[in-house]
């Protein structure tokens, strides 16, 4: 199987590329990535070394339809997995231009390019956030309404609608996957868990929005990858699959667990101004993936969090290098100086 992975230099994409190349000798990966602030070739140095015969990288933009067409042809691609996106809700609140460009126009360019290729499958990597927010009860299922609240989730929802429309109109074999919050190695420190870990390591305040009562469902990145691998092999075109971690936690609890694992004082927790339009709770019903394809998440949160903390402790050079001026300026704008 020859896969075009887009956004493979980011967090989930790089974990997925490593995961599939390790698991299946018959898989080759072409990685197309624009290398935005979130894209980092360092995430794949080991992959370049170990799998040089089955892996190649192209620096480019998913909005560039001609480039995508060329890559599909030259690499004899049979499946596309589209991870490329602008992904941070807080940045989308500051300015959503790049989100509309990559997540909507970029996905449309990929879908258009795919129309001319003889693809077996196009997987659009989406998010639970397109469903909006839950109250204290219930879970999102695949039939739940699309009700996005942030510019980020609205742009991902638009991409989902386009993907569905290309299946209905042109019979393009598209599958949409919607996953909950991922954590694990190589995650850019703007997101909650790596932000908590990197700040706690340096004894810096852990910023918690509002009262810390918002709930996210956490999944280890490798579990997300195993779900995508299963869907690549056995998913049905035209279907939507929810992917979840079965692990709902309040943000405050996550912060306390990080501090406890690092033996740091809970007094580092600092309550800061809430995010505008902050979704209260996400929870995923992934019965369909479980019963139809036999997938379940394998990693317990405590174990995965410990492994993730160990990774950040061992990779402080990586952390230092991703703390670029751009990131420190962003951090200061959001939280004050670091
Ligand atoms: P990330 O921000 O870590 O990485 C995104 C990658 O996409 C980067 O390598 C970046 O350079 C690349 N990219 C951005 N714009 C591009 C463009 N125009 N052309 C080519 N490449 C481009 O993101 P992530 O957290 O790994 O998320 C990957 C995907 O999974 C996204 O589609 C996201 O919506 C989805 N998702 C993420 C989570 C999560 O918890 N992080 C949960 C569910 C779904
Ligand atoms: P985040 O990692 O940005 O993911 P998402 O908003 O896409 O779910 O945030 C996860 C949760 O953590 C969310 O409820 C917002 C909260 N949060 C904080 O409390 N403090 C922070 O500094 C960040 C970045 C997030």
């Amino acid at each position: 199987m020859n896969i075009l992975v887009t956004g493979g230099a980011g967090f989930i994409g790089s974990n997925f590329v490593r995961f599939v190349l390790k698991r299946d000798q018959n898989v080759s990966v072409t990685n197309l990535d624009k290398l935005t602030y979130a894209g980092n070739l360092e995430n794949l140095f080991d992959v370049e070394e170990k799998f040089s015969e089955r892996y190649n990288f192209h620096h480019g933009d998913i909005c560039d339809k001609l480039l995508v067409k060329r890559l599909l042809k030259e690499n004899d691609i049979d499946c596309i997995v589209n991870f490329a996106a602008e992904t941070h809700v807080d940045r989308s609140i500051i300015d959503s231009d790049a989100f509309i460009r990559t997540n909507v126009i970029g996905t449309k360019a990929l879908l258009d390019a795919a129309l001319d290729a003889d693809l077996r499958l196009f997987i659009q990597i989406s998010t639970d956030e397109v469903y909006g927010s839950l109250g204290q009860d219930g879970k999102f299922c695949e039939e739940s309404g699309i009700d996005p609240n942030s510019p980020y989730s609205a742009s991902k929802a638009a991409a989902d609608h386009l993907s569905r429309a290309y299946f209905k109109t042109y019979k393009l074999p598209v599958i949409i996957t919607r996953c909950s919050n991922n954590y694990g190695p190589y995650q850019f420190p703007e997101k909650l868990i790596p932000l908590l870990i990197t700040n706690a390591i340096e004894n810096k305040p852990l910023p918690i929005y509002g009262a810390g009562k918002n709930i996210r469902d956490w999944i280890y990145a490798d579990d997300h990858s195993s779900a995508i691998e299963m869907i690549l092999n056995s998913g049905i075109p035209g279907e939507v699959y929810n992917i979840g971690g079965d692990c709902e936690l309040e943000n405050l609890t996550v912060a306390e667990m990080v501090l406890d694992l690092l033996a740091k004082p809970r007094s580092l927790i600092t309550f800061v101004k809430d995010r505008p339009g902050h979704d209260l709770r996400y929870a995923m019903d992934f019965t369909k993936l479980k019963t139809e394809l036999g997938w379940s998440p394998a990693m317990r949160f405590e174990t995965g969090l410990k492994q993730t903390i160990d990774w950040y402790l061992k990779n402080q050079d990586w952390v230092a290098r991703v703390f670029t001026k751009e990131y420190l300026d962003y951090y200061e704008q959001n939280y004050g100086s670091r």
Side-chain angles (χ1 to χ4, degrees):
M1 185 179 351
N2 298 331
I3 311 176
L4 175 67
V5 171
T6 68
F11 162 49
I12 305 173
S14 62
N15 278 292
F16 174 75
V17 168
R18 180 176 297 100
F19 185 92
V20 277
L21 287 172
K22 257 192 206 163
R23 293 256 308 176
D24 192 342
Q25 296 279 338
N26 298 313
V27 164
S28 293
V29 170
T30 298
N31 175 13
L32 170 63
D33 198 295
K34 188 180 173 182
L35 300 179
T36 66
Y37 77 92
N40 185 352
L41 282 183
E42 219 182 303
N43 297 356
L44 290 162
F45 280 171
D46 61 319
V47 166
E48 278 172 16
E49 214 174 278
K50 270 190 229 146
F51 302 105
S52 57
E53 281 165 21
R54 292 190 284 127
Y55 170 76
N56 65 84
F57 173 75
H58 286 268
H59 185 197
D61 192 327
I62 59 165
C63 297
D64 184 346
K65 206 183 296 181
L66 290 180
L67 168 66
V68 176
K69 279 188 179 189
R70 182 166 67 72
L71 291 179
L72 293 177
K73 212 168 175 182
E74 281 177 5
N75 297 283
D76 202 13
I77 298 294
D78 28 59
C79 299
I80 296 179
V81 185
N82 181 28
F83 290 99
E86 290 292 336
T87 60
H88 195 38
V89 172
D90 294 319
R91 288 186 190 248
S92 81
I93 294 169
I94 297 168
D95 182 358
S96 59
D97 279 1
F99 290 74
I100 303 305
R101 189 176 181 282
T102 289
N103 301 1
V104 185
I105 298 171
T107 301
K108 182 197 169 326
L110 272 183
L111 290 164
D112 280 340
L115 285 179
D116 290 342
D118 191 19
L119 281 193
R120 189 175 64 74
L121 206 54
F122 182 120
I123 300 187
Q124 172 60 15
I125 302 293
S126 185
T127 162
D128 57 358
E129 303 192 28
V130 299
Y131 294 122
S133 183
L134 290 164
Q136 294 300 340
D137 303 318
K139 290 186 178 191
F140 297 127
C141 61
E142 287 82 357
E143 288 74 34
S144 300
I146 300 299
D147 209 6
N149 291 317
S150 72
Y152 161 66
S153 54
S155 69
K156 292 294 289 186
D160 284 15
H161 287 318
L162 282 168
S163 303
R164 181 181 178 280
Y166 273 59
F167 172 75
K168 289 279 177 190
T169 307
Y170 307 111
K171 308 276 180 291
L172 188 71
V174 179
I175 286 177
I176 298 168
T177 63
R178 300 192 178 125
C179 189
S180 56
N181 284 63
N182 285 226
Y183 70 100
Y186 301 101
Q187 188 167 27
F188 194 78
E190 66 190 354
K191 303 288 195 317
L192 180 70
I193 288 187
L195 179 72
L196 297 175
I197 296 172
T198 51
N199 279 15
I201 289 172
E202 292 187 47
N203 300 309
K204 301 212 185 271
L206 273 50
I208 294 296
Y209 296 160
K213 295 282 175 202
N214 301 68
I215 293 172
R216 296 293 180 264
D217 168 37
W218 293 100
I219 181 170
Y220 196 64
D222 272 356
D223 278 333
H224 189 178
S225 292
S226 75
I228 302 300
E229 185 195 40
M230 195 155 275
I231 290 163
L232 263 175
N233 290 322
S234 320
I236 297 169
E239 294 294 312
V240 175
Y241 296 95
N242 279 356
I243 305 169
D246 235 347
C247 176
E248 286 183 57
L249 290 170
E250 287 186 354
N251 295 336
L252 188 55
T253 307
V254 175
E256 288 171 352
M257 289 174 79
V258 167
L259 289 169
D260 292 353
L261 283 166
L262 280 163
K264 302 281 181 175
R266 290 191 176 183
S267 56
L268 283 176
I269 291 172
T270 310
F271 294 98
V272 299
K273 196 166 155 283
D274 208 352
R275 171 188 283 173
H278 194 173
D279 286 339
L280 176 68
R281 176 173 164 257
Y282 305 141
M284 291 301 255
D285 178 343
F286 54 89
T287 311
K288 180 173 171 178
L289 193 54
K290 208 172 183 172
T291 54
E292 291 182 11
L293 302 192
W295 177 89
S296 290
M299 182 63 89
R300 280 183 63 246
F301 184 73
E302 292 75 5
T303 313
L305 184 61
K306 198 169 175 312
Q307 286 184 14
T308 305
I309 290 174
D310 287 345
W311 187 88
Y312 281 90
L313 282 169
K314 282 195 196 107
N315 289 277
Q316 294 198 47
D317 293 352
W318 180 94
V319 174
R321 282 191 288 273
V322 300
F323 280 169
T324 57
K325 183 170 182 318
E326 189 278 341
Y327 180 60
L328 292 172
D329 287 348
Y330 164 80
Y331 190 97
E332 183 160 1
Q333 190 181 347
N334 249 12
Y335 308 101
S337 77
R338 192 171 182 279

